[in-house]
Amino acid sequence: MNGPGSEVSALPPAEMMREAKRLFDYQAMVVRKTGVQLD
Amino acid sequence: MLSKCIPVMLIAVSVAFASAAHGQQFPIPGKPIRIVVPFAPGGQTDVQARAIAQKLTISLGVPVFVENKPGAATLIGAREVQRAQPDGHTLLYTIVTHVQLPHLYKTPPYDPFKDFTAITTGSKAANVLTSHVSTPFNTVQELVAYAKANPGKLNYASYGVGTGSHLNGELFKRLAGIEMVHVPYKGSAEAAKDLLAGNVQLFFDGPLTAMANVQSGRVKLLAWGAIHAPLRYLTCPPCAKPGTRSARGAIFGSGDRPEWHPLQYKSFMSTLPVQLQIQVCTRS
């Protein structure tokens, strides 16, 4: 179902929130690098 | 050549009992649970959400169904859940775009941590870069050389403006110093269909839809994102650049509200996971 190149991930809520916050910060850098703006 | 099958584990989290948190029963008997998928049907996120919904229906004893709300880089679906009653009966199954989107607007459309509560991740996957079989390149290096020799002749599909797929394409353009025209779709299934038809040349896709098409021989695989390079596909150069990582399949509940918060999520998560073993054939 996931296919090669992906993995199952079932983080509990607290860890998921930490992961989401880490990704949030990381994506700020990614968005800056791309220069994409939607408004 | 297809010659080896590798088992892949998919875990669907099941909920076995109602939570007594804040005196509210969960699930509310007879009340369906809706999982909003912010993409058109048929893509990787949609397929995973439907598998989870099927298991939850059995374990919860209430109907759990998927509703597709594509468009606006997952914003339409996210808004739907943001406005819903925070009783745990409206969930969002989404991707990393959920935490990208606020950075894409001067005025963020939502706060991913105040307006939503994270429940769990479903899977992690790296985006892959695929091309139509007729394209005159087989590696990223050849693609870059072709793009530089033929400016303005390349286009790439994404599963939506502002999604990770789009950002991967824009980042790739900048890192490689090439120009490509962006062609956005409302989900990976639609984009993949046009890639197969040759209407677009490149697609930054999730592995589920991409690999099925690669294995059919109608699409070429040029690169992987960098979460975990798969064991059997290292013949293509991993696209290990910042921005190619992509976490897919996260479930968010509506509202950061105490009545649908830690205790209920604990009960949501503490029950026995259901595991499905799926054989995925890969190249050796």
Side-chain angles (χ1 to χ4, degrees):
Chain A
M1 184 67 68
N2 274 358
S6 65
E7 63 184 31
V8 168
S9 172
L11 294 176
E15 272 184 54
M16 157 104 188
M17 190 59 94
R18 277 196 293 278
E19 172 77 357
K21 284 182 174 166
R22 191 189 60 75
L23 270 176
F24 182 78
D25 294 339
Y26 178 79
Q27 294 303 329
M29 180 272 291
V30 171
V31 170
R32 272 198 308 277
K33 282 197 174 201
T34 63
V36 174
Q37 275 287 309
L38 299 185
D39 60 356
Chain B
M1 178 174 61
L2 297 178
S3 62
K4 184 150 185 130
C5 291
I6 296 175
V8 176
M9 304 300 287
L10 172 73
I11 297 174
V13 179
S14 64
V15 182
F17 59 91
S19 167
H22 305 282
Q24 186 180 25
Q25 190 179 20
F26 174 79
I28 298 167
K31 183 174 181 179
I33 291 175
R34 180 169 60 126
I35 300 178
V36 175
V37 169
F39 294 105
Q44 179 161 317
T45 313
D46 177 67
V47 169
Q48 290 182 358
R50 288 175 193 278
I52 290 170
Q54 197 176 24
K55 291 293 173 186
L56 285 176
T57 295
I58 296 166
S59 56
L60 283 172
V62 297
V64 181
F65 66 96
V66 168
E67 188 172 6
N68 298 90
K69 293 279 181 182
T74 73
L75 181 57
I76 290 172
R79 276 264 162 81
E80 182 87 4
V81 177
Q82 185 185 10
R83 289 193 292 258
Q85 280 288 326
D87 59 3
H89 282 254
T90 305
L91 304 174
L92 178 66
Y93 195 71
T94 188
I95 61 170
V96 70
T97 304
H98 193 65
V99 291
Q100 285 171 335
L101 211 56
H103 302 300
L104 292 166
Y105 289 90
K106 287 173 193 154
T107 306
Y110 57 76
D111 183 322
F113 308 110
K114 288 182 180 170
D115 295 330
F116 299 87
T117 299
I119 298 173
T120 185
T121 49
S123 71
K124 282 188 175 179
N127 270 4
V128 298
L129 173 57
T130 52
S131 71
H132 186 256
V133 72
S134 70
T135 50
F137 39 77
N138 295 307
T139 66
V140 170
Q141 288 85 348
E142 290 173 7
L143 157 64
V144 171
Y146 176 85
K148 287 185 173 174
N150 300 274
K153 289 197 174 173
L154 273 183
N155 58 37
Y156 76 93
S158 80
Y159 44 76
V161 173
T163 61
S165 173
H166 174 205
L167 296 183
N168 281 344
E170 293 305 304
L171 196 59
F172 181 73
K173 278 166 56 179
R174 292 203 172 206
L175 291 169
I178 60 173
E179 280 304 315
M180 299 189 293
V181 175
H182 176 219
V183 185
Y185 292 82
K186 286 187 174 178
S188 58
E190 291 179 12
K193 197 162 60 179
D194 260 11
L195 180 70
L196 285 168
N199 296 328
V200 287
Q201 294 156 300
L202 297 161
F203 181 24
F204 289 86
D205 194 7
L208 179 69
T209 44
M211 296 322 299
N213 293 330
V214 168
Q215 286 169 354
S216 77
R218 297 164 71 192
V219 163
K220 290 190 281 191
L221 177 65
L222 299 181
W224 285 98
I227 284 187
H228 291 295
L231 297 175
R232 302 287 172 183
Y233 282 103
L234 287 175
T235 50
C236 63
C239 190
K241 300 284 187 184
T244 55
R245 56 192 304 167
S246 170
R248 274 183 172 271
I251 302 179
F252 287 81
S254 59
D256 183 24
R257 310 280 178 83
E259 64 268 29
W260 174 237
H261 209 235
L263 282 179
Q264 285 188 328
Y265 291 134
K266 273 184 191 168
S267 68
F268 194 95
M269 289 302 301
S270 65
T271 51
L272 185 67
V274 177
Q275 296 185 334
L276 301 172
Q277 187 169 340
I278 295 163
Q279 298 288 318
V280 178
C281 295
T282 63
R283 294 171 194 273
S284 64

